[in-house]
């Protein structure tokens, strides 16, 4: 599927499927490998039904045997056999930082942590698993899945995500995050995600933190620094209603206070970057504004990529599977934009996410080729990364840059014998 197989080659898919214990004991027409690519293909085409997505995938491989008996029910059963943990592990295997060295802040990769809500179909099992707004007697709207994610501020690449329910707070859901949040990173977060235990956990992983907190916290001043910031001691709430819980130890943080545009409200930040000479308060205050980049990431997924107000899966496992598939497709799109920006010697801000989605949608039908793995366990196909199956980034850069992306035999060549499948009904 062009750009998608560039990020998720068959070898990687087979390895993740085998590690998850989802490989077949007998040869199936709807193999686990094909089901993974089918679920990924659903994301760029949110308005298409199962059979239309199947036609798009089949259109690029005329060598596949006849798919007699394949219908919506068999595709649904294939998704159930696959499960959602395969897509989660595949996303974690694919997700990687895309920013360059010049995007770092004093040698630290800047990440943002935040959450969003996704509406899911109003089935009984989805309602029980995720919940919806309103009271128990008068619920309102669709059930909603809460997604808490860590994203790279420079290239909008989502590096890790956890799916929870509507009734769960973002702070509780975020405790399961850990991928790519380690030494050499600076994590930005809003006050709704503040927690002293989470602060210590992230600091033990080696990541630095820049968080906004409420004005009533961080008042125990220990030392005032020359740049106007100060060191303060934060302790666990002694009046917490959680009886029997172990209180987190206190932490010494650096507090930065400022106003925006002469407004009366004071913004209060706390950070683990204590050195005021290496990390001036004015630079940290300006850097915190980049936390809003993750809101643009959610907009790219929910508005442009998803293209519909409600996900299509009727079960909780299907919802989680679909969400991680959307994250994989988003990362593949961002990876494509990264390649285009590199070829064009441009920046991420000057590349169009919507145009990249159009390129990916065009690359699916003429480039799809997902036969089941051979019975002997070896894959006779050539990896898309080495065989240059598709060079979709060539559509996002100028003509001189395309020559560096594709060989003369494959550069900017239209698909041979394009197939258009129509339904007589």
């Amino acid at each position: 599927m062009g750009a998608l197989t560039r990020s998720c080659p068959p070898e990687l898919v087979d390895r993740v499927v085998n590690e998850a214990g989802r490989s077949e004991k007998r040869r199936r027409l709807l193999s686990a490998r094909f089901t993974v690519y089918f679920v990924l293909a659903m994301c760029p085409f949110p308005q298409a039904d199962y059979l239309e997505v199947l036609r798009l995938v089949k259109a690029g491989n005329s060598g596949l045997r006849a798919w007699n008996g394949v219908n919506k029910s068999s595709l649904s059963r294939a998704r159930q056999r696959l499960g959602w943990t395969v897509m989660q592990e595949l996303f974690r295997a694919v997700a990687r930082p895309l920013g360059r060295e010049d995007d770092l802040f004093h040698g630290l990769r800047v990440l943002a942590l935040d959450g969003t809500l996704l509406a899911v179909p109003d089935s009984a099992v989805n309602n029980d698993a995720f919940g919806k707004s309103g009271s128990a007697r008068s619920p309102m709207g669709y059930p909603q899945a809460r997604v808490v994610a860590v994203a790279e501020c420079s290239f909008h690449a989502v590096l890790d995500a956890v799916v929870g329910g509507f009734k769960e707070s973002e702070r509780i859901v975020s405790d399961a995050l850990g991928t790519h949040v380690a030494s050499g990173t600076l994590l930005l977060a809003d006050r709704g995600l503040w927690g002293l235990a989470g602060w210590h956990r992230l600091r033990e992983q080696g990541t630095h933190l820049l968080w906004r907190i409420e004005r009533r916290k961080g008042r125990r001043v220990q030392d005032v620094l020359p740049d106007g910031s100060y060191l303060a001691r934060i302790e666990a709430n002694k009046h917490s209603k959680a009886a029997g819980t172990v209180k987190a130890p206190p932490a010494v943080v650096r507090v930065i206070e400022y106003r925006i545009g002469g407004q009366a409200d004071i913004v209060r930040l706390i950070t683990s970057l204590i050195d005021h000479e290496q990390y001036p308060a004015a630079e940290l205050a300006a850097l915190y504004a980049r936390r809003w980049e993750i809101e643009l990431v959610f907009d790219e997924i929910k508005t442009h990529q998803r293209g519909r107000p409600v996900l299509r899966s009727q079960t909780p496992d299907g919802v989680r599977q679909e969400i991680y598939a959307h994250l994989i497709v988003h990362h593949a799109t961002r990876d494509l934009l990264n390649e285009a920006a590199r070829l064009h010697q441009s920046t991420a801000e000057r590349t169009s996410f919507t145009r990249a989605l159009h390129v990916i949608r065009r690359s699916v039908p003429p480039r799809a080729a997902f036969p089941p793995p051979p019975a002997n366990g070896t894959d006779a196909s050539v990896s898309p990364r080495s065989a240059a199956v598709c060079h979709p980034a060539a559509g996002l850069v100028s003509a001189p840059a395309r020559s560096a992306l594709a060989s003369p035999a494959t550069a900017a060549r239209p698909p041979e014998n394009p197939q258009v499948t129509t339904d007589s009904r």
Side-chain angles (χ1 to χ4, degrees):
M1 281 191 305
L4 298 185
T5 51
R6 179 177 179 270
S7 294
C8 302
E11 297 85 355
L12 176 61
V13 173
D14 292 341
R15 177 174 64 82
V16 173
V17 169
N18 291 333
E19 292 177 353
R22 297 293 180 174
S23 56
E24 297 85 3
K25 296 181 180 179
R26 61 183 178 87
R27 287 177 59 84
R28 292 180 179 271
L29 186 61
L30 299 179
S31 64
R33 177 202 285 185
F34 179 86
T35 306
V36 168
Y37 287 117
F38 174 79
V39 174
L40 293 178
M42 293 192 312
C43 299
F45 303 97
Q47 306 299 335
D49 59 11
Y50 277 10
L51 296 182
E52 183 60 28
V53 175
L54 182 65
R55 294 187 187 101
L56 290 169
V57 174
K58 288 175 56 181
N61 193 348
S62 58
L64 288 176
R65 55 179 174 163
W67 291 55
N68 297 328
V70 176
N71 52 31
K72 181 179 179 180
S73 298
S74 56
L75 291 169
S76 298
R77 290 193 296 270
R79 289 188 60 190
Q80 294 173 3
R81 289 194 303 269
L82 182 68
W84 67 273
T85 56
V86 172
M87 303 305 294
Q88 181 190 44
E89 295 303 321
L90 181 61
F91 165 68
R92 290 178 174 175
V94 168
R96 60 183 178 86
L98 301 177
R100 297 183 287 261
E101 293 295 329
D102 53 357
D103 297 322
L104 303 180
F105 174 76
H106 293 280
L108 299 174
R109 189 176 303 278
V110 182
L111 310 177
L113 171 66
D114 206 350
T116 188
L117 293 171
L118 296 175
V120 302
D122 195 1
S123 62
V125 288
N126 281 343
N127 190 21
D128 293 339
F130 299 109
K132 59 174 65 174
S133 60
S135 62
R137 293 185 176 181
S138 58
M140 297 184 297
Y142 287 94
Q144 299 186 79
R146 187 179 299 279
V147 181
V148 180
V150 174
E152 191 179 25
C153 292
S154 58
F155 254 93
H156 292 186
V158 180
L159 304 182
D160 196 9
V162 179
V163 181
F166 174 78
K167 300 296 184 181
E168 300 177 81
S169 68
E170 293 180 347
R171 180 178 58 83
I172 295 176
V173 176
S174 65
D175 289 340
L177 293 171
T179 305
H180 297 287
V181 182
S183 58
T185 60
L186 175 60
L187 186 64
L188 314 180
D190 201 7
R191 50 193 167 191
L193 291 156
W194 160 254
L196 188 55
W199 176 279
H200 286 294
R201 178 178 59 84
L202 292 170
R203 289 295 296 129
E204 290 174 357
Q205 296 177 7
T207 186
H208 283 288
L209 305 169
L210 180 62
W211 262 346
R212 184 176 181 179
I213 60 171
E214 300 174 358
R215 292 185 58 186
R216 59 187 178 87
K217 296 184 181 295
R219 291 181 175 180
R220 299 189 177 185
V221 181
Q222 292 189 344
D223 189 17
V224 178
L225 302 178
D227 63 349
S229 61
Y230 58 91
L231 301 182
R233 179 185 177 92
I234 296 182
E235 296 182 353
N237 185 6
K238 298 180 180 180
H239 304 287
S240 175
K241 297 181 180 180
T245 59
V246 178
K247 303 296 183 182
V252 177
V253 300
R254 181 180 169 203
V255 183
I256 301 171
E257 295 180 343
Y258 61 94
R259 290 186 174 92
I260 299 177
Q263 297 179 5
D265 294 338
I266 296 178
V267 178
R268 174 171 293 186
L269 307 178
I270 59 173
T271 181
S272 61
L273 301 173
I274 304 298
D275 191 347
H276 66 279
E277 295 182 351
Q278 185 176 359
Y279 309 102
E283 292 186 9
L284 292 175
L287 178 68
Y288 183 75
R290 302 198 64 185
R291 189 197 70 82
W292 293 99
E293 295 290 336
I294 195 171
E295 301 294 344
L296 300 179
V297 174
F298 293 148
D299 176 72
E300 292 170 355
I301 297 175
K302 297 172 64 175
T303 304
H304 302 287
Q305 178 176 295
R306 184 181 58 169
R308 54 189 295 168
V310 184
L311 298 178
R312 67 172 81 207
S313 302
Q314 300 289 331
T315 63
D317 287 351
V319 167
R320 294 183 176 92
Q321 182 187 80
E322 187 177 354
I323 289 174
Y324 281 108
H326 271 289
L327 294 173
I328 294 172
V329 173
H330 179 267
H331 196 281
T333 308
R334 276 290 155 192
D335 192 16
L336 173 63
L337 286 173
N338 179 42
E339 181 72 8
R342 183 186 64 82
L343 292 171
H344 200 54
Q345 297 181 354
S346 181
T347 60
E349 291 78 8
R350 297 180 62 84
T351 54
S352 171
F353 180 84
T354 305
R355 187 175 181 186
L357 274 178
H358 295 329
V359 172
I360 287 181
R361 287 166 179 151
R362 291 197 302 266
S363 72
V364 171
R367 298 294 184 180
F370 309 124
N376 58 7
T378 59
D379 194 345
S381 62
V382 183
S383 171
R385 292 182 181 273
S386 59
V389 172
C390 179
H391 297 297
L396 299 178
V397 297
S398 57
R402 282 190 208 129
S403 60
L405 181 63
S407 60
T410 59
R413 185 175 60 186
E416 298 178 0
N417 300 325
Q419 303 179 17
V420 178
T421 305
T422 59
D423 195 331
S424 59
R425 292 176 294 178

